[in-house]
Amino acid sequence: MRPFWLATASACALLAAPASAQDGGESPPPAAPGTPDLQTPDVAPLVTDAPDSKAEDQIGFAADNLNYDSDTDIVVAEGNVAMNRDTISMRADKVTWNRKTGQVFAEGNVAIKNPEGDVAYGDKIELTDTLRDGVVEDLLVVLDNGSRLAAIRGTRFDNGNIELENAAYTPCPVEDNEGCPKNPSWQVRAVKVLYDKAKNKVRYKGARIEIFGLPLIPLPGLSHPLNNEPSSGLLVPEIRLDRSNGFEIAVPYYLRIAPDRDVTITPHIYTGAAPMIEGEARALTDIGSFRINGYATYGSLVPLTGEDPNSRKRFRGYLESAGKFQFDPRWSLTYSGRIATDRTFMRRYDISRDDRLRSMFEIERIGGNSYLSIAGWATQTLRRNDAQGQQPIALPIIDYRQRLADPLFGGQFEVQLNTLAIARTAGQDTQRAFAGVRWDLRRLTTMGQEITLTALVRGDVYHSDENLLTGIPGYRGKSGWQARGIAAVAADVRWPFVGEFMGGTQTLTPRIQVVATPPIKNLDIPNEDSRAFDLEDSNLFAINRFNGHDRFEDGARITYGVEWNFSRPGFNINSIVGQSYRLSDKPSLFPDGTGLTDRTSDIVGRTTIAYKDFLRLTHRYRLDKDNLAVRRNEIDATIGSQSTYAVLGYSRLNRDILLLGEDLQDREEARVGGRVAVANHWSVFGSAIVDLTRKVDDPLGIADGFDPIRHRLGVAYDDDCLSIALTWRRDYIDTGDAKRGNSFSFRIAFRNLGF
């Protein structure tokens, strides 16, 4: 079969509305000079024999030459022929009309337009005198979404349906950027193609998909709509090979229940594991949407410890769901849930590498000056050494806030009420309630300083039991009922200086903050939400530098720093550096290694450099206050264009502490990823994560200074019609039955094909 898409105007026919031709980038064949406009053909009526013939039975003609043979009852029109009947019009170089048989034969630059606005172009068309149905040789149909149907022979029926023989379909462009013909990335070839105009759907007989001209995938019973609406049917298979499961093939089936409901069922077949079924359901309601996704299998499970060499068979699976509902402009509900049957299921089947699964719900009311949240959450741990009984279940979490204008000084009050209940099946239980008021006043002086004054008071009530089940003493607090009061005042002054610099604008902003808080009974209170902490630029100037409510930094302190910003078209640098000094010599609540243990804090800072869309570099650091040793060093960079880029990351924690607390171990890691465009639409991509932690950094670990964690390498083809990717990945860590080793995956996506 010859390439339909490269057919010249004289050898193909086009059927499309004028707007469709423009949208699809297709131009109709040029008409001969002087051809009448199809929109307003200047024709004279040629009536039938009956003098009382209806208007719709009359056929109008306009031509340079018009001959009529009364013996054979044949009309021959030549030269810029225009012909119409009712609302259908046609033009051609020559038209032969047999009035006895009703046959019309048009030749040369033929164009026929129907009432719906479709126009057929061709060199030769045979049709009836209704001008509605007929046969076309070398047909090319351009649809309103830009897709194309082509055939050696096509028949158009009176109802608008089309039957194509020895045909092909593609949604891909058939011209390059210079307008030159090219073969499409992929096409569907078929013995016969049937286009149902009423359903706007195409059905194929004997179909197969060709990619880059190679016949690859047979598709018996293929059909799809010719619009953007999805329809039920098989989706493109996914292929994968790894050490844990062997060869895998997944064949999704999409079921469209309604315009706002659908289900996708995906069987996963493995050579090295039992089959698995995956299902996903989605729905859109009048007030929101939700999604449910799940996996299920009956297969082997190897314990995390590896003590049992024999696999144990059991039901294994994973279920997740998420949704949001907006009841009215103020009230909404958000939820998400995730649960797995065991700790290695998701890693083994490459669903996710998360080591904790969190489920939550939240009911919110957002008013003009008020906010109410009623929430709850629970966590399932997938970590090797974490006990599930120690994981908290928080229910309920209630937080209410109300803003009020200050009638005296012009500031603003915020009232907050909060309560929390945490339960554990084998650990400490804690309940908390507090009420607080915060006042803020912001003013600009005549010299340009920005001054912010803050005052807050809060009263807390706690109850806890089973405190000894908490492993770290500093987190336990005292059992039973405990109460405390919190008060703080703060003044924050910023003084920006703006000026020209190197063809751009620079802003230098010194900042100083003073915070004073009386002694607070922190250690009597359980610590549930203020555990992981590290001094950095984001919390340096916070009133309470703990990241929760259970701990509040007391004493008096001065925090000082400077921010510098330089900006010019396409280029920007922003940098901040600061330090804090405590006026009291009372021992700090902060653990060693966090940068706030002594009266003088470490120096923290951040620098961000951005150059157009080509470069973005962020550097965060913490320097030892005594010897300027780098205690924290993080670099993240993105360099390159959209097609060729590199993503680089490096992090190093050197806290210089002897006693290791929770999440305070030293570590070092490097990350790299990127994509390189090697040819038109072709690219090579890859990524790697390497653990650089040494034994001296983590004495309790097994680090050796260079431990690859995971890397991948692949090649991809992407255009506006087809996406193909082949990926190789290697994992270096065994986790139960999720084995280390190589895995290969193949992905292909046919865009604009809704089967």
Side-chain angles (χ1 to χ4, degrees), residues 3 20 93 174 191 213 234 284 290 365 373 390 443 483 496:
S20 303
D93 292 340
V174 296
V191 175
L234 293 174
L284 179 65
F290 67 91
R365 184 189 185 278
S373 170
Q390 288 285 334
R443 288 290 184 267

Side-chain angles (χ1 to χ4, degrees), residues 180-192:
C180 300
K182 71 168 186 176
N183 287 316
S185 303
W186 66 268
Q187 58 183 319
V188 179
R189 296 258 189 183
V191 175
K192 184 173 289 188

Side-chain angles (χ1 to χ4, degrees), residues 459-481:
D460 301 350
V461 177
Y462 281 78
H463 178 269
S464 60
D465 53 26
E466 305 288 349
N467 298 56
L468 294 179
L469 295 178
T470 297
I472 300 177
Y475 294 162
R476 296 172 182 168
K478 293 183 178 180
S479 297
W481 292 94

Side-chain angles (χ1 to χ4, degrees), residues 281-473:
R282 302 182 301 175
L284 179 65
T285 70
D286 294 337
I287 60 173
S289 63
F290 67 91
R291 176 182 61 86
I292 302 174
N293 190 30
Y295 300 78
T297 185
Y298 188 83
S300 61
L301 171 64
V302 178
L304 283 170
T305 58
E307 296 174 356
D308 184 2
N310 299 316
S311 300
R312 296 180 290 119
K313 289 195 173 182
R314 51 174 287 187
F315 171 79
R316 305 183 70 186
Y318 167 68
L319 180 66
E320 66 174 350
S321 181
K324 183 168 185 177
F325 303 93
Q326 191 75 39
F327 303 111
D328 60 37
R330 297 182 182 271
W331 286 94
S332 66
L333 167 65
T334 303
Y335 83 91
S336 65
R338 304 177 72 190
I339 186 172
T341 56
D342 56 80
R343 303 195 184 203
T344 60
F345 176 81
M346 298 178 66
R347 184 179 293 267
R348 171 172 181 173
Y349 292 98
D350 201 29
I351 300 171
S352 170
R353 295 187 173 272
D354 294 341
D355 57 8
R356 288 178 178 174
L357 304 181
R358 182 176 178 180
S359 301
M360 58 79 64
F361 79 90
E362 183 175 29
I363 300 174
E364 290 181 291
R365 184 189 185 278
I366 302 176
N369 290 294
S370 64
Y371 174 77
L372 172 65
S373 170
I374 304 173
W377 52 262
T379 301
Q380 179 186 7
T381 181
L382 305 182
R383 296 183 177 183
R384 178 191 298 265
N385 298 319
D386 283 359
Q388 182 59 44
Q390 288 285 334
Q391 304 306 308
I393 302 172
L395 183 70
I397 310 169
I398 303 176
D399 188 64
Y400 175 75
R401 306 187 188 201
Q402 177 73 49
R403 292 187 303 187
L404 304 170
D406 172 12
L408 186 59
F409 299 103
Q412 181 174 271
F413 286 103
E414 181 179 283
V415 179
Q416 182 179 12
L417 304 175
N418 182 281
T419 183
L420 165 69
I422 291 181
R424 295 178 175 87
T425 58
Q428 178 176 331
D429 299 332
T430 302
Q431 299 84 43
R432 177 192 74 201
F434 71 76
V437 178
R438 174 170 173 158
W439 172 79
D440 290 284
L441 175 66
R442 178 180 176 271
R443 288 290 184 267
L444 295 176
T445 69
T446 57
M447 297 182 63
Q449 296 100 336
E450 178 188 356
I451 301 176
T452 303
L453 303 177
T454 302
L456 65 87
V457 292
R458 202 179 88 191
D460 301 350
V461 177
Y462 281 78
H463 178 269
S464 60
D465 53 26
E466 305 288 349
N467 298 56
L468 294 179
L469 295 178
T470 297
I472 300 177

